[in-house]
Amino acid sequence: QVQLVESGGGLVQPGGSLRLSCVASTSIFSFNGMGWYRQAPGKQRELVASITRGAGTNYADSVKGRFTISRDIAKNTVYLQMNSLKPEDTAVYYCNLVPLYPRYWGQGTQVTVSS
């Protein structure tokens, strides 16, 4: 059983930045890919950024150019650097594998963008 623990969320003003962290209980290099997902109130959970075992990255159009996914294999950690945040980025952010494993969902971390 893999445990994924997200942190780093908070309240930030529009235009601000946050960096999210996801620590895995096992080596992230063993996974084909990992990603950051988010779920806003009343909306479905969506994949916003992913990174493959080979370090290839992919982003949803809504965050492209503003968010950056990265990883530290030695720390079993995946990061999401979020810049130029907008109110529509407000959501609970989760990490999971890509493709996702529903049983690996953690508690997520709340990101609220508001003035």
Side-chain angles (χ1 to χ4, degrees), residues 58-93:
N58 197 28
Y59 300 92
D61 288 343
S62 58
V63 307
K64 202 169 292 184
R66 301 187 298 121
F67 289 11
T68 302
I69 188 170
S70 62
R71 68 185 182 184
D72 185 330
I73 294 173
K75 295 182 179 180
N76 293 332
T77 302
V78 179
Y79 303 99
L80 186 67
Q81 177 67 44
M82 306 186 295
N83 299 328
S84 302
L85 283 162
K86 305 175 181 180
E88 51 264 42
D89 295 318
T90 295
V92 180
Y93 285 71

Short mmCIF file of all heavy atoms in Angstrom, two decimals, residues 58-93:
data_model
loop_
_atom_site.label_atom_id
_atom_site.label_comp_id
_atom_site.label_asym_id
_atom_site.label_seq_id
_atom_site.Cartn_x
_atom_site.Cartn_y
_atom_site.Cartn_z
N ASN A 58 3.88 17.14 -18.44
CA ASN A 58 2.72 17.52 -19.22
C ASN A 58 1.80 18.34 -18.34
O ASN A 58 1.73 18.10 -17.12
CB ASN A 58 1.99 16.28 -19.75
CG ASN A 58 1.05 16.61 -20.88
OD1 ASN A 58 1.27 17.56 -21.62
ND2 ASN A 58 0.00 15.82 -21.04
N TYR A 59 1.10 19.30 -18.94
CA TYR A 59 0.26 20.22 -18.17
C TYR A 59 -1.08 20.41 -18.84
O TYR A 59 -1.19 20.39 -20.07
CB TYR A 59 0.95 21.58 -18.04
CG TYR A 59 2.28 21.53 -17.34
CD1 TYR A 59 3.46 21.37 -18.05
CD2 TYR A 59 2.36 21.62 -15.95
CE1 TYR A 59 4.68 21.29 -17.41
CE2 TYR A 59 3.58 21.55 -15.30
CZ TYR A 59 4.73 21.38 -16.05
OH TYR A 59 5.94 21.30 -15.39
N ALA A 60 -2.09 20.63 -17.99
CA ALA A 60 -3.38 21.04 -18.52
C ALA A 60 -3.24 22.44 -19.10
O ALA A 60 -2.43 23.26 -18.63
CB ALA A 60 -4.42 21.04 -17.41
N ASP A 61 -4.03 22.73 -20.13
CA ASP A 61 -3.95 24.04 -20.78
C ASP A 61 -4.19 25.18 -19.79
O ASP A 61 -3.60 26.25 -19.91
CB ASP A 61 -4.97 24.13 -21.92
CG ASP A 61 -4.58 23.28 -23.12
OD1 ASP A 61 -3.40 22.89 -23.22
OD2 ASP A 61 -5.46 23.00 -23.95
N SER A 62 -5.02 24.94 -18.80
CA SER A 62 -5.39 26.00 -17.86
C SER A 62 -4.24 26.42 -16.96
O SER A 62 -4.29 27.51 -16.36
CB SER A 62 -6.57 25.54 -17.00
OG SER A 62 -6.25 24.36 -16.30
N VAL A 63 -3.19 25.60 -16.84
CA VAL A 63 -2.08 25.93 -15.95
C VAL A 63 -0.76 26.04 -16.68
O VAL A 63 0.26 26.41 -16.07
CB VAL A 63 -1.95 24.89 -14.80
CG1 VAL A 63 -3.28 24.73 -14.07
CG2 VAL A 63 -1.44 23.55 -15.31
N LYS A 64 -0.75 25.76 -17.96
CA LYS A 64 0.48 25.77 -18.74
C LYS A 64 1.13 27.14 -18.68
O LYS A 64 0.47 28.17 -18.85
CB LYS A 64 0.17 25.38 -20.18
CG LYS A 64 1.34 24.83 -20.97
CD LYS A 64 0.89 24.23 -22.29
CE LYS A 64 0.06 22.98 -22.10
NZ LYS A 64 -0.30 22.34 -23.37
N GLY A 65 2.43 27.16 -18.39
CA GLY A 65 3.16 28.41 -18.29
C GLY A 65 3.14 29.03 -16.90
O GLY A 65 3.87 29.98 -16.63
N ARG A 66 2.29 28.51 -16.02
CA ARG A 66 2.19 29.04 -14.66
C ARG A 66 2.63 28.02 -13.61
O ARG A 66 3.16 28.39 -12.57
CB ARG A 66 0.76 29.48 -14.36
CG ARG A 66 0.23 30.55 -15.30
CD ARG A 66 -1.13 31.07 -14.84
NE ARG A 66 -2.16 30.03 -14.83
CZ ARG A 66 -2.85 29.67 -13.76
NH1 ARG A 66 -2.62 30.24 -12.59
NH2 ARG A 66 -3.79 28.73 -13.86
N PHE A 67 2.35 26.74 -13.87
CA PHE A 67 2.68 25.68 -12.91
C PHE A 67 3.86 24.87 -13.43
O PHE A 67 4.00 24.67 -14.64
CB PHE A 67 1.50 24.73 -12.73
CG PHE A 67 0.31 25.30 -11.98
CD1 PHE A 67 0.22 26.65 -11.69
CD2 PHE A 67 -0.72 24.47 -11.58
CE1 PHE A 67 -0.87 27.17 -11.01
CE2 PHE A 67 -1.82 24.97 -10.89
CZ PHE A 67 -1.91 26.32 -10.62
N THR A 68 4.67 24.37 -12.51
CA THR A 68 5.80 23.52 -12.85
C THR A 68 5.84 22.33 -11.91
O THR A 68 5.88 22.51 -10.68
CB THR A 68 7.13 24.28 -12.77
OG1 THR A 68 7.09 25.42 -13.64
CG2 THR A 68 8.28 23.37 -13.20
N ILE A 69 5.84 21.13 -12.48
CA ILE A 69 5.96 19.92 -11.68
C ILE A 69 7.41 19.47 -11.70
O ILE A 69 8.10 19.57 -12.73
CB ILE A 69 5.01 18.81 -12.19
CG1 ILE A 69 4.99 17.63 -11.23
CG2 ILE A 69 5.36 18.39 -13.61
CD1 ILE A 69 3.90 16.59 -11.54
N SER A 70 7.90 19.00 -10.56
CA SER A 70 9.26 18.50 -10.47
C SER A 70 9.30 17.40 -9.41
O SER A 70 8.30 17.14 -8.73
CB SER A 70 10.23 19.63 -10.12
OG SER A 70 9.92 20.19 -8.85
N ARG A 71 10.46 16.79 -9.25
CA ARG A 71 10.56 15.70 -8.29
C ARG A 71 11.95 15.65 -7.70
O ARG A 71 12.92 16.13 -8.30
CB ARG A 71 10.24 14.36 -8.96
CG ARG A 71 11.30 13.96 -9.98
CD ARG A 71 10.95 12.73 -10.74
NE ARG A 71 12.04 12.38 -11.66
CZ ARG A 71 12.00 11.38 -12.51
NH1 ARG A 71 10.92 10.61 -12.59
NH2 ARG A 71 13.03 11.13 -13.30
N ASP A 72 12.06 15.06 -6.52
CA ASP A 72 13.34 14.75 -5.89
C ASP A 72 13.27 13.26 -5.57
O ASP A 72 12.63 12.87 -4.57
CB ASP A 72 13.54 15.60 -4.64
CG ASP A 72 14.92 15.40 -4.02
OD1 ASP A 72 15.48 14.30 -4.14
OD2 ASP A 72 15.42 16.37 -3.41
N ILE A 73 13.90 12.44 -6.39
CA ILE A 73 13.80 10.99 -6.22
C ILE A 73 14.37 10.55 -4.88
O ILE A 73 13.82 9.68 -4.22
CB ILE A 73 14.49 10.28 -7.39
CG1 ILE A 73 13.73 10.56 -8.70
CG2 ILE A 73 14.57 8.77 -7.14
CD1 ILE A 73 14.43 10.05 -9.94
N ALA A 74 15.45 11.18 -4.46
CA ALA A 74 16.09 10.80 -3.19
C ALA A 74 15.16 11.04 -2.00
O ALA A 74 15.26 10.36 -0.98
CB ALA A 74 17.39 11.56 -3.01
N LYS A 75 14.28 12.02 -2.13
CA LYS A 75 13.35 12.35 -1.05
C LYS A 75 11.97 11.76 -1.27
O LYS A 75 11.05 12.04 -0.49
CB LYS A 75 13.25 13.87 -0.89
CG LYS A 75 14.54 14.53 -0.44
CD LYS A 75 14.34 16.03 -0.26
CE LYS A 75 15.64 16.69 0.22
NZ LYS A 75 15.47 18.16 0.40
N ASN A 76 11.80 11.00 -2.34
CA ASN A 76 10.48 10.42 -2.67
C ASN A 76 9.40 11.50 -2.70
O ASN A 76 8.28 11.29 -2.22
CB ASN A 76 10.10 9.33 -1.67
CG ASN A 76 11.00 8.12 -1.76
OD1 ASN A 76 11.55 7.82 -2.82
ND2 ASN A 76 11.16 7.41 -0.66
N THR A 77 9.74 12.63 -3.27
CA THR A 77 8.86 13.80 -3.23
C THR A 77 8.63 14.37 -4.62
O THR A 77 9.55 14.48 -5.42
CB THR A 77 9.44 14.89 -2.31
OG1 THR A 77 9.61 14.34 -1.00
CG2 THR A 77 8.51 16.09 -2.22
N VAL A 78 7.38 14.74 -4.87
CA VAL A 78 6.99 15.44 -6.09
C VAL A 78 6.48 16.81 -5.68
O VAL A 78 5.75 16.94 -4.69
CB VAL A 78 5.89 14.67 -6.86
CG1 VAL A 78 5.48 15.44 -8.11
CG2 VAL A 78 6.40 13.29 -7.24
N TYR A 79 6.86 17.82 -6.44
CA TYR A 79 6.49 19.19 -6.14
C TYR A 79 5.60 19.78 -7.23
O TYR A 79 5.63 19.34 -8.38
CB TYR A 79 7.74 20.06 -6.02
CG TYR A 79 8.74 19.60 -4.99
CD1 TYR A 79 9.86 18.85 -5.37
CD2 TYR A 79 8.57 19.88 -3.64
CE1 TYR A 79 10.78 18.42 -4.43
CE2 TYR A 79 9.48 19.45 -2.70
CZ TYR A 79 10.58 18.72 -3.09
OH TYR A 79 11.48 18.29 -2.16
N LEU A 80 4.84 20.79 -6.85
CA LEU A 80 4.10 21.58 -7.82
C LEU A 80 4.32 23.04 -7.47
O LEU A 80 3.80 23.52 -6.46
CB LEU A 80 2.62 21.25 -7.83
CG LEU A 80 1.81 21.95 -8.93
CD1 LEU A 80 2.24 21.44 -10.32
CD2 LEU A 80 0.31 21.74 -8.73
N GLN A 81 5.10 23.73 -8.28
CA GLN A 81 5.31 25.16 -8.11
C GLN A 81 4.21 25.88 -8.88
O GLN A 81 4.05 25.67 -10.08
CB GLN A 81 6.68 25.58 -8.64
CG GLN A 81 6.95 27.07 -8.56
CD GLN A 81 7.06 27.57 -7.13
OE1 GLN A 81 7.70 26.95 -6.30
NE2 GLN A 81 6.41 28.70 -6.86
N MET A 82 3.45 26.69 -8.17
CA MET A 82 2.32 27.39 -8.77
C MET A 82 2.57 28.88 -8.69
O MET A 82 2.68 29.44 -7.60
CB MET A 82 1.02 27.02 -8.04
CG MET A 82 0.77 25.52 -7.97
SD MET A 82 -0.84 25.11 -7.27
CE MET A 82 -0.63 25.73 -5.61
N ASN A 83 2.66 29.52 -9.84
CA ASN A 83 2.88 30.96 -9.93
C ASN A 83 1.68 31.62 -10.60
O ASN A 83 0.87 30.96 -11.25
CB ASN A 83 4.15 31.25 -10.72
CG ASN A 83 5.39 30.68 -10.08
OD1 ASN A 83 5.49 30.58 -8.85
ND2 ASN A 83 6.36 30.30 -10.91
N SER A 84 1.61 32.92 -10.46
CA SER A 84 0.53 33.71 -11.09
C SER A 84 -0.84 33.08 -10.82
O SER A 84 -1.65 32.90 -11.73
CB SER A 84 0.77 33.81 -12.61
OG SER A 84 2.02 34.40 -12.89
N LEU A 85 -1.07 32.76 -9.58
CA LEU A 85 -2.31 32.07 -9.21
C LEU A 85 -3.54 32.93 -9.46
O LEU A 85 -3.50 34.17 -9.31
CB LEU A 85 -2.25 31.64 -7.75
CG LEU A 85 -1.38 30.39 -7.51
CD1 LEU A 85 -0.99 30.28 -6.04
CD2 LEU A 85 -2.13 29.14 -7.96
N LYS A 86 -4.61 32.26 -9.85
CA LYS A 86 -5.88 32.90 -10.17
C LYS A 86 -6.96 32.35 -9.24
O LYS A 86 -6.84 31.23 -8.74
CB LYS A 86 -6.26 32.61 -11.61
CG LYS A 86 -5.22 32.99 -12.65
CD LYS A 86 -5.66 32.56 -14.04
CE LYS A 86 -4.62 32.92 -15.09
NZ LYS A 86 -5.05 32.49 -16.45
N PRO A 87 -8.03 33.10 -9.04
CA PRO A 87 -9.12 32.58 -8.20
C PRO A 87 -9.64 31.23 -8.69
O PRO A 87 -10.03 30.39 -7.87
CB PRO A 87 -10.19 33.68 -8.32
CG PRO A 87 -9.40 34.93 -8.55
CD PRO A 87 -8.25 34.50 -9.42
N GLU A 88 -9.61 30.99 -9.99
CA GLU A 88 -10.10 29.71 -10.51
C GLU A 88 -9.17 28.55 -10.22
O GLU A 88 -9.51 27.40 -10.52
CB GLU A 88 -10.37 29.81 -12.02
CG GLU A 88 -9.24 30.38 -12.84
CD GLU A 88 -9.40 31.87 -13.11
OE1 GLU A 88 -9.78 32.62 -12.18
OE2 GLU A 88 -9.10 32.28 -14.26
N ASP A 89 -8.01 28.82 -9.66
CA ASP A 89 -7.12 27.74 -9.21
C ASP A 89 -7.51 27.22 -7.83
O ASP A 89 -6.94 26.24 -7.35
CB ASP A 89 -5.66 28.22 -9.16
CG ASP A 89 -5.11 28.58 -10.53
OD1 ASP A 89 -5.37 27.82 -11.48
OD2 ASP A 89 -4.41 29.60 -10.63
N THR A 90 -8.46 27.87 -7.19
CA THR A 90 -8.92 27.43 -5.88
C THR A 90 -9.49 26.02 -5.96
O THR A 90 -10.38 25.73 -6.76
CB THR A 90 -10.00 28.39 -5.35
OG1 THR A 90 -9.40 29.68 -5.13
CG2 THR A 90 -10.59 27.88 -4.04
N ALA A 91 -8.94 25.13 -5.14
CA ALA A 91 -9.33 23.71 -5.17
C ALA A 91 -8.57 22.97 -4.08
O ALA A 91 -7.64 23.52 -3.48
CB ALA A 91 -9.02 23.10 -6.52
N VAL A 92 -8.95 21.72 -3.88
CA VAL A 92 -8.13 20.81 -3.10
C VAL A 92 -7.21 20.09 -4.08
O VAL A 92 -7.67 19.56 -5.09
CB VAL A 92 -8.98 19.79 -2.32
CG1 VAL A 92 -8.07 18.86 -1.52
CG2 VAL A 92 -9.95 20.51 -1.38
N TYR A 93 -5.92 20.11 -3.79
CA TYR A 93 -4.92 19.52 -4.67
C TYR A 93 -4.44 18.19 -4.08
O TYR A 93 -4.14 18.09 -2.88
CB TYR A 93 -3.74 20.48 -4.85
CG TYR A 93 -4.06 21.63 -5.77
CD1 TYR A 93 -4.92 22.64 -5.37
CD2 TYR A 93 -3.53 21.69 -7.06
CE1 TYR A 93 -5.25 23.69 -6.23
CE2 TYR A 93 -3.84 22.73 -7.92
CZ TYR A 93 -4.69 23.72 -7.50
OH TYR A 93 -5.01 24.76 -8.35
#
